Amino acid sequence: MKVLVTVKEVAAVEDEFQIAGTSIDETYLEYDLNEWDDYAVEEAVQLQEAGIADEVVAVTIGPERSEETIRMALAKGADRAVRIWDDALEGADLLDVGAKTAILEKVVEEEDPDLVLSGVQADDDGFGATGVSLADALGYEWAAVVNHLEQDSVESGTASIRRELEGGVEELTDVELPAVLTIQTGINEPRYASLRGIRQAQRKEIAPKTLDDLGLDAAAVENELTLTDMYEPETESDATYFEGGPDEAAGQLADLLREKGVGAQ
Amino acid sequence: MTDVLAIADHRRGELRDISFELVTAGRELADETGGDLHVAVISGDTERFGEQLQLDGVDTVHTVDNGEEFNHDVYAQVVTQLFDAVAPQFLLMPNSVNGLDYAPAVANRLDLTYVSDVVDIGVDGSTLTATREMYSGKVETTTAVEADQVAVSIRGAEWPGTEDTGDAAVETFEADVDESAVRSTVTGFEEVGGGDVDISEADVLVSIGRGIEEEENLDLVRDLADALDATLSSSRPIVDAGWLPKNRQVGQSGKVVTPDVYIAIGISGAVQHVAGMKGSDTIVAINTDPNAPIYDIADYGIVDDLFDVVPALIEEFE
Ligand SMILES: Cc1cc2nc3c(=O)[nH]c(=O)nc-3n(C[C@H](O)[C@H](O)[C@H](O)COP(=O)(O)OP(=O)(O)OC[C@H]3O[C@@H](n4cnc5c(N)ncnc54)[C@H](O)[C@@H]3O)c2cc1C
Ligand SMILES: Nc1ncnc2c1ncn2[C@@H]1O[C@H](COP(=O)(O)O)[C@@H](O)[C@H]1O
C-alpha cells in the first residue's frame, strides 16, 4: 500500500524581529520542517519498515527554497516527493485552508494512496485544519490529533487509532481506509537523518508541479483571507523583571521565593 | 442572513466550558449583525444540555438526538443540515480537539471560508475581521474575510463564559443521518497520565521546557527542584521526547495545575501550555527570549540563559 505524507516548511521568527506591513522580513525567519510533520514522516517510514507500506511519498506546497526541507523527509526514508508551486501562489502572505485543500486534493487523486498522514497543525499559520478539510474533499475518512496508530490494523482496511483529547483522556477509534490522519507530537520518536540517508536523498526525485500540471487554474486557489494587520501582541501583564546579570537576578528571585516560604524547611 | 449558529461542545456527559464561551462570542456577533443567536447541541443527554444552554442572549437552542458521544461523521452531516436550515451568516465552532475533528470538514462541505482558532472577531457589513495568532503566538494578525457566510472556530478561554439563564426556545431538530456515511466508530476512552506523582497537588512547581535542550541537562532542574523542595513538571516536548513521564506534563492535554509558585524555565508559553498553568498564584519565567508569550502572564521574569540563572539560584538555596 501507498502512504502519502503532507509536509510543510514552516518559518519561525527569531527572538528579535521586525514586522513590515503584514509580514516579517526573511532575515528574521528560520525555516524548518514543521514539527508535527516530522512525526508524520516517522510514522509513515515505520509503516514501510514494518512491511505494511511499500511506498512513502512526501508532498509539499512551497517555493523552491522548501526543497531543502522536503529533502529531510527523503533523508529520513520517504521514497520520493512532489512539490507544488506556481506564480499564482507567489507573494501571498498566507495560503488559506481552502486553497491548500484544492491543491492537495489533486495530488492525492493522482497518487491514490491508502493512507494520508498530515500534521495536527502548521507551526506558522496555525490553522490546524488542512488534513481534515482535505479528507472531506476527497471523500476519505479521517481522524484528528492522533497519538497512536495500531500499525497492523492498517492492513485490514480499518485503522485503529487513539485521539488525544484534552485533560489526559484518549479516545479509541476505528476509521475505515482510505483515510487522512492528523498526527500529534509524541506518537513516535522521530529519527535523525543518517549520513547515508542524506546521501541517498540527493538522488531521490522531487517532482515539481504547477497548478496547470494539476489541472487547476488560479481561481481555484484564490485566497479568501486577507491579512490586514500584523503586530506584536500587547502584553497583558506587568511582570517585574529581575536584572543585573544571572547572579544578581537569581539573588533577587531567591529573596522573593524565600518571602513566599519556598525552600524553607 | 444575519443570524449566528454556534455548535456546543460536550464530552462524557458534560457541556465543556467553551460551549458557554461560544454563547458569549455568538451573542457579540449577533448584536453586530442584528440577527438571532442559535445554539445547537448534538448527541449526548440533549434534554439536559438543552436546558443548560437556555442562556442569556440565546434565541433558539436546537437539540439533535444521536448517540451518546461525539462522532465526527455524525457531526459533519448534522451541522451541514442545521446550517442549511438556519441559514446563518456565521457558523461558530469550538477550536477544541473535537472541533479540530469536524469543523474543517463542515467548512469544506459547505464551501465556506474557514477561519480557525480566532481570539477576537468583529463584523462590518459582509466583512468579518478575525484576530488570530501566528508564528507560535509571537505575532497577532487581523484577517479580513469578504463573504456572505463564514465558518469560524474560536479559541478557548478568550471570551468569558455566559452563565446567566435566559428564555431561549428549545427545539428538537430532526437530522437525517446517513448511517452508511458513518465510517468511524468510537470504541472507548482511556485516562492516561496516572502514576505516583500528582503535579496538581504540588505547592511549588519547577517546570522545564525545550530550552533545556538535552536529556542530560535535566539533572540541573532536578537539583533546583530539590533545593526548593519543589516538584518537577514540564511542557509537552519534554514528555514527547520521553525524558519525563506523561504525568509531569502541564497543559491542555496534560494536567491543569494551580500551585502557589510556578517557575517556568525555557518554556515559551504556547496557548496549550498556558491553559494548564495560568491559574497559578505566582508565575516566574526564566527565558532568553524577551518576546516569549510566557512573559504575558508571568508575574516575575528573568530574561537570561537558564544555564546561568539556574545554577546561581541553586547556590542561593544551598
Ligand atoms: C492539540 C495540542 C495539544 C497540546 N497540548 C500541550 C500541553 O498539554 N502542554 C504543553 O506544554 N504543550 C502542548 N502542546 C504543544 C504546544 O503547542 C507547544 O508546542 C509547546 O508547549 C512548546 O513547549 P516549550 O515551550 O517547552 O518549547 P518551545 O516553544 O520550543 O520553547 C522553548 C523556549 O525556551 C527558550 N530557551 C531556549 N534556550 C534557552 C536557554 N538557554 N535559557 C532560557 N530559555 C531558553 C526559548 O526562548 C523558548 O521560548 C499542544 C499542542 C497541540 C496542537
Ligand atoms: N503548504 C503545505 N504543504 C504541504 N502540506 C501542508 C501545507 N500546509 C499545511 N500542510 C499540512 O497540513 C497540516 C496542518 O496545517 P495547517 O492546517 O496549515 O495548520 C500540516 O501539518 C501539514 O501536514
Side-chain angles (χ1 to χ4, degrees), chain A residues 24-228:
Chain A
I24 295 170
D25 191 88
E26 294 253 346
T27 51
Y28 304 108
L29 298 177
E30 288 168 47
Y31 293 95
D32 204 347
L33 174 61
N34 183 34
E35 186 181 354
W36 282 266
D37 298 345
D38 194 21
Y39 286 87
V41 168
E42 177 65 33
E43 200 62 24
V45 171
Q46 288 188 12
L47 281 166
Q48 191 176 42
E49 286 170 346
I52 295 164
D54 34 56
E55 193 180 25
V56 174
V57 183
V59 181
T60 198
I61 307 167
E64 199 163 348
R65 188 201 54 236
S66 63
E67 290 210 352
E68 212 177 304
T69 294
I70 204 162
R71 282 252 182 249
M72 264 158 60
L74 295 174
K76 290 177 181 213
D79 295 300
R80 61 186 172 84
V82 179
R83 180 178 68 82
I84 301 97
W85 198 242
D86 201 282
D87 290 345
L89 304 172
E90 205 79 52
D93 288 333
L94 194 63
L95 258 189
D96 68 20
V97 177
K100 294 202 267 199
T101 301
I103 295 169
L104 293 172
E105 183 188 358
K106 290 289 179 193
V107 180
V108 175
E109 277 171 359
E110 245 172 49
E111 294 284 345
D112 195 25
D114 304 275
L115 186 63
V116 178
L117 303 180
S118 81
V120 167
Q121 64 174 28
D123 218 3
D124 49 5
D125 65 36
F127 287 124
T130 304
V132 171
S133 174
L134 172 64
D136 192 68
L138 290 161
Y140 278 27
E141 253 304 312
W142 70 86
V145 194
V146 172
N147 72 345
H148 179 75
L149 167 64
E150 205 64 62
Q151 295 220 337
D152 294 341
S153 69
V154 173
E155 285 178 308
S156 71
T158 299
S160 294
I161 55 106
R162 281 168 181 255
R163 293 181 54 233
E164 185 192 72
L165 307 180
E166 293 88 351
V169 177
E170 296 183 350
E171 179 199 275
L172 285 69
T173 304
D174 291 335
V175 292
E176 286 178 22
L177 297 184
V180 180
L181 307 180
T182 81
I183 300 296
Q184 173 65 313
T185 59
I187 187 174
N188 53 40
E189 267 184 60
R191 70 194 65 197
Y192 290 98
S194 65
L195 279 176
R196 188 160 157 266
I198 292 168
R199 230 179 305 120
Q200 283 173 342
Q202 297 306 322
R203 291 194 300 270
K204 290 180 181 173
E205 180 196 17
I206 303 180
K209 283 190 196 287
T210 61
L211 293 181
D212 198 40
D213 293 334
L214 296 174
L216 287 170
D217 55 28
V221 298
E222 205 176 329
N223 247 353
E224 319 259 1
L225 304 184
T226 321
L227 275 186
T228 49

Side-chain angles (χ1 to χ4, degrees), chain B residues 209-210 235-236 249-253 266 268 272-273 287 305-306:
Chain B
R210 184 142 47 195
S235 66
R236 177 172 188 120
Q249 184 184 316
V250 173
Q252 177 192 299
S253 49
S268 63
Q272 297 93 349
H273 185 79
N287 195 310
D305 193 322
L306 76 90

Side-chain angles (χ1 to χ4, degrees), chain B residues 291-311:
Chain B
N291 295 313
I294 191 77
Y295 287 119
D296 292 344
I297 56 151
D299 301 294
Y300 298 91
I302 298 180
V303 182
D304 215 327
D305 193 322
L306 76 90
F307 294 105
D308 296 325
V309 177
V310 173

Side-chain angles (χ1 to χ4, degrees), chain A residues 246-261:
Chain A
D247 292 329
E248 198 178 322
Q252 293 174 43
L253 175 55
D255 289 343
L256 171 87
L257 293 174
R258 281 190 208 101
E259 218 173 277
K260 301 208 172 275

Side-chain angles (χ1 to χ4, degrees), chain B residues 50 63-64 70 95 101 113 116 123 149 154 162 167 177 195 201 203 224 241 243 248 251 255 267 297 302 306 316:
Chain B
T63 61
V64 186
F70 171 79
N95 199 61
D101 201 37
T113 302
S116 65
V123 57
Q149 294 180 297
I154 70 161
T162 299
D167 51 7
V177 175
E201 297 282 317
D203 295 328
L224 178 63
W243 300 349
R248 302 277 178 162
K255 286 255 164 61
I267 292 177
I297 56 151
I302 298 180
L306 76 90
E316 287 281 339

